[in-house]
């Protein structure tokens, strides 16, 4: 049996929140989103808790985009990180997260296991 231990054994919440912020801010800045410059950016604390935390990646993407009046097609699991779809944004967020995680010093990654 395998359990999802992300955020339990290692402290990755801040890394996830930063990856979500980078993703969503880039979506809001993209002309394809159809939103204006006055649209509030992704708040890594408030918006993360309201729209992303505790949801599947796709549901979190849909919830946040809906909060800003943006609708995207679902896409497919094969969509790459450049696809303008929920699945594509999910792939992009995963790439951003993995890149940030790989850049962390080892003690940060294992701090949760040392307690």
């Amino acid at each position: 049996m395998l359990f999802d231990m992300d955020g339990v054994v290692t402290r990755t919440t801040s890394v996830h929140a930063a990856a979500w912020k980078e993703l969503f801010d880039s979506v809001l800045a993209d002309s394809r989103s159809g939103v204006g410059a006055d649209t509030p950016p992704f708040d890594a604390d408030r918006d993360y808790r309201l729209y992303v935390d505790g949801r599947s990646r796709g549901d979190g993407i849909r919830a946040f985009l809906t909060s800003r009046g943006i609708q995207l097609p679902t896409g497919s699991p094969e969509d790459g990180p450049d696809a303008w779809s929920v699945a594509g944004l999910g792939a992009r967020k995963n790439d951003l997260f993995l890149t940030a995680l790989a850049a962390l010093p080892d003690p940060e990654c294992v701090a949760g296991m040392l307690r």
Side-chain angles (χ1 to χ4, degrees):
M1 189 175 288
L2 184 64
F3 295 96
D4 178 3
M5 298 297 286
D6 184 31
V8 175
V9 175
T10 60
R11 292 184 287 184
T12 56
T13 303
S14 63
V15 180
H16 277 290
W20 283 116
K21 178 157 181 58
E22 185 173 347
L23 173 73
F24 286 135
D25 285 352
S26 73
V27 169
L28 295 173
D30 192 304
S31 62
R32 295 175 290 178
S33 71
V35 299
D38 59 338
T39 301
F42 181 79
D43 183 295
D45 181 46
R46 180 182 181 280
D47 290 331
Y48 181 79
R49 284 184 287 108
L50 283 175
Y51 305 114
V52 176
D53 193 29
R55 299 177 192 240
S56 70
R57 187 177 300 148
D59 288 346
I61 291 168
R62 278 186 207 89
F64 176 74
L65 294 180
T66 298
S67 79
R68 299 304 196 266
I70 302 168
Q71 298 292 317
L72 290 183
T74 299
S76 74
E78 292 79 32
D79 284 358
D82 294 327
W84 192 247
S85 66
V86 171
L89 294 184
R92 189 182 323 168
K93 187 273 176 181
N94 193 54
D95 287 354
L96 293 168
F97 172 75
L98 292 176
T99 299
L101 190 63
L104 289 177
D106 290 339
E108 181 69 23
C109 292
V110 298
M113 292 184 281
L114 298 177
R115 286 190 229 170

